[in-house]
């Protein structure tokens, strides 16, 4: 049973436009959520995170929104750049468990 | 340079031949973990360790062993590899009691093929 789901395997966006990547989770015990970016032949790198006590966290062009009632989070990238083309994973964790559950990833392609 | 180093990066082996994938981090992190990435399944946690001599199972531990004798090293051992362990493996570490964000630092990955 996939506790963290990324239902869109891929997404194409024009350079300069907004990219919205979505993630749904089923476990209400998750209280910490992270986004990672992965380029080919490299390991994932941390992008941005959000605690369940917040509903928004912003870092430069990246903003993560959390809707706890819907068990849904999204990553907004504005403006999108060709260098943002990568696979994006969302991950969820419950404080004290030290276990991270990852989604299946969304491949973002930003078109120049 | 702060990093997580995995070796080998690529390996082709045969069923039943024991192998070890090494992982080393130079950031003095307490927490280390192994993941495997498979198409359509994302990253799944195999084992994790919160400190020296403290290890615990993740979601897919069957067929794997780990040890944490030193803080910097967390090798992944496949005692008798099988074809279903063909995958891309990632080691990760985290400053468990320091980082407020809980972020994981990943190695570059080890692609393993078991024939």
């Amino acid at each position: 049973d996939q506790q963290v789901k990324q239902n869109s395997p891929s997404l194409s966006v024009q350079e300069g436009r907004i990219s919205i990547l979505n993630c749904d989770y089923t476990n209400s015990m998750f209280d910490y959520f992270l986004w990672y970016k992965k380029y080919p032949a490299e390991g994932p790198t941390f992008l941005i995170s959000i605690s369940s006590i917040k509903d928004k966290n912003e870092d430069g062009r990246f903003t993560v929104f959390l809707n706890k009632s819907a068990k849904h989070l999204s990553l907004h990238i504005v403006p999108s750049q060709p260098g943002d083309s990568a696979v994006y994973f969302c991950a969820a964790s419950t404080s004290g468990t030290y276990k991270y559950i990852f989604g299946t990833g969304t491949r973002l392609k930003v078109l120049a | 340079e702060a990093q997580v180093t995995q070796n080998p990066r690529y390996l082709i082996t045969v069923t039943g031949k024991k192998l070890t994938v090494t992982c080393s981090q130079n950031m003095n992190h307490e927490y280390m973990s192994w993941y495997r990435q498979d198409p359509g399944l994302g990253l799944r946690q195999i084992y994790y360790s919160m400190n020296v001599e403290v290890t615990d199972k993740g979601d897919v531990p069957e067929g794997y062993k780990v040890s944490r004798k030193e803080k910097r090293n967390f090798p992944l051992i496949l005692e008798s590899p099988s074809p279903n362990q063909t995958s891309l493996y990632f080691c990760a570490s985290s400053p468990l009691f320091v980082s407020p964000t809980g972020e994981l630092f990943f190695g570059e990955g080890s692609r393993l093929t078991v024939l």
Side-chain angles (χ1 to χ4, degrees):
Chain A
D1 178 33
Q2 197 79 20
Q3 296 185 69
V4 178
K5 299 179 185 178
Q6 292 176 259
N7 292 318
S8 298
S10 63
L11 175 68
S12 290
V13 170
Q14 207 67 35
E15 181 179 5
R17 299 289 190 104
I18 183 172
S19 296
I20 301 177
L21 295 91
N22 295 302
C23 181
D24 297 295
Y25 61 97
T26 58
N27 189 339
S28 57
M29 296 299 290
F30 290 147
D31 58 4
Y32 206 83
F33 304 90
L34 308 93
W35 283 94
Y36 286 82
K37 178 167 72 174
K38 185 183 178 305
Y39 293 118
E42 294 183 11
T45 54
F46 172 74
L47 196 56
I48 192 169
S49 62
I50 188 167
S51 163
S52 60
I53 62 173
K54 295 185 175 181
D55 53 21
K56 175 182 173 182
N57 189 26
E58 198 170 349
D59 184 1
R61 296 186 297 114
F62 303 92
T63 303
V64 57
F65 295 93
L66 176 62
N67 182 334
K68 289 185 290 292
S69 60
K71 293 192 179 68
H72 176 84
L73 62 153
S74 60
L75 174 69
H76 293 212
I77 307 173
V78 184
S80 301
Q81 299 173 354
D84 296 329
S85 297
V87 176
Y88 290 79
F89 291 98
C90 68
S93 181
T94 303
S95 298
T97 64
Y98 311 111
K99 295 178 76 169
Y100 297 83
I101 309 298
F102 283 80
T104 52
T106 296
R107 183 177 302 277
L108 173 65
K109 189 170 183 179
V110 180
L111 307 169
Chain B
E1 182 190 349
Q3 58 187 3
V4 178
T5 304
Q6 299 179 221
N7 279 297
R9 294 289 311 281
Y10 302 92
L11 180 63
I12 300 175
T13 189
V14 296
T15 299
K17 185 175 182 182
K18 180 180 178 179
L19 69 93
T20 299
V21 185
T22 64
C23 174
S24 181
Q25 50 93 4
N26 62 1
M27 296 170 280
N28 202 35
H29 287 171
E30 293 82 11
Y31 182 90
M32 297 186 74
S33 183
W34 276 102
Y35 294 84
R36 58 178 290 175
Q37 182 188 1
D38 301 290
L41 296 175
L43 290 156
R44 294 180 294 167
Q45 191 173 37
I46 303 171
Y47 269 94
Y48 65 96
S49 168
M50 286 163 53
N51 215 327
V52 176
E53 301 293 1
V54 181
T55 63
D56 209 346
K57 296 178 181 178
D59 294 317
V60 287
E62 296 79 19
Y64 304 95
K65 285 175 59 176
V66 292
S67 69
R68 187 90 183 273
K69 292 184 169 55
E70 303 166 284
K71 196 172 186 179
R72 63 182 292 129
N73 295 324
F74 191 45
L76 180 69
I77 303 157
L78 286 74
E79 294 269 4
S80 183
S82 63
N84 65 11
Q85 293 178 296
T86 292
S87 186
L88 178 59
Y89 291 86
F90 289 101
C91 180
S93 70
S94 175
L96 195 62
F97 304 111
V98 172
S99 171
T101 61
E103 64 173 286
L104 294 166
F105 294 81
F106 282 87
E108 293 185 308
S110 296
R111 184 166 292 281
L112 170 66
T113 302
V114 183
L115 302 175

